Amino acid sequence: MKQVRQKQIMEIIEQKIILTQEDLQNELLSLGFDVTQSTVSRDIKELKLMKGRDRNGNYRYIANNVSTDDEISHQRDIFAKSVLSVDYALNNVVIKCRGGLASGACVALDGMFHEFMLGSLAGDDTIIIVTRCVEDSKTLFEKLNNIL
């Protein structure tokens, strides 16, 4: 069922402009999939969907279908264009983003620096990353600032 649902999600985001998890959940519900917001959220993460601009300039969920060689460059570009500032305290890194872009920047971060993270959480314009220790937070902070 999960594979069928995730295949349907990919078809939905190709055909329609989906701006929120709720929009995607409603589309799935209308197609007969009994899904919760948390299921949709997990599917988005597993499918590595991000918010960005499509070929026509529409802001929406898009698939991250770039090759491995281009992926890091693409992720750095998304991060650099989305982020306003980075700071850290103890084992937390806090990233301020342009409105609505934290989710896409967080997906990019997860792809680039997952080895430093215990977990990440993105809101509309803020990301918080929890690391194992202060040293990891400082290292991640420095790496992120080098991208900006």
Side-chain angles (χ1 to χ4, degrees):
M1 186 64 158
K2 178 178 173 179
Q3 290 177 334
V4 173
R5 183 182 66 245
Q6 288 185 347
K7 183 178 180 200
Q8 188 65 54
I9 288 171
M10 297 303 288
E11 290 177 17
I12 290 169
I13 67 164
E14 285 179 26
Q15 297 170 3
K16 297 183 178 187
I17 296 175
I18 302 295
L19 298 174
T20 66
Q21 290 181 7
E22 183 180 2
D23 292 343
L24 185 54
Q25 180 184 13
N26 289 336
E27 288 292 327
L28 288 167
L29 289 170
S30 73
L31 294 170
F33 292 92
D34 186 22
V35 293
T36 64
Q37 184 275 329
S38 59
T39 299
V40 172
S41 179
R42 279 191 299 275
D43 285 341
I44 288 169
K45 188 166 188 147
E46 288 176 17
L47 292 169
K48 297 185 179 185
L49 302 181
M50 62 183 73
K51 286 189 178 178
R53 302 228 180 258
D54 63 15
R55 289 180 289 262
N56 299 321
N58 298 310
Y59 185 71
R60 63 194 289 177
Y61 274 111
I62 57 174
N64 185 4
N65 292 331
V66 293
S67 69
T68 304
D69 293 339
D70 294 337
E71 190 168 347
I72 292 173
S73 174
H74 181 65
Q75 290 169 337
R76 286 177 181 268
D77 189 44
I78 289 169
F79 180 80
K81 289 179 178 176
S82 302
V83 172
L84 299 171
S85 67
V86 179
D87 205 349
Y88 78 101
L90 300 175
N91 67 321
N92 298 303
V93 178
V94 177
I95 302 165
K96 291 299 211 173
C97 300
R98 299 180 191 287
L101 297 181
S103 180
C106 193
V107 171
L109 284 170
D110 288 345
M112 292 187 295
F113 299 110
H114 60 87
E115 67 274 11
F116 292 100
M117 301 180 191
L118 286 176
S120 61
L121 181 65
D124 184 60
D125 64 356
T126 304
I127 301 168
I128 185 166
I129 298 169
V130 178
T131 65
R132 287 177 178 75
C133 60
V134 175
E135 292 79 22
D136 283 353
S137 288
K138 182 178 181 189
T139 301
L140 183 57
F141 167 78
E142 291 168 353
K143 290 181 176 291
L144 296 177
N145 272 317
N146 286 337
I147 295 174
L148 301 177

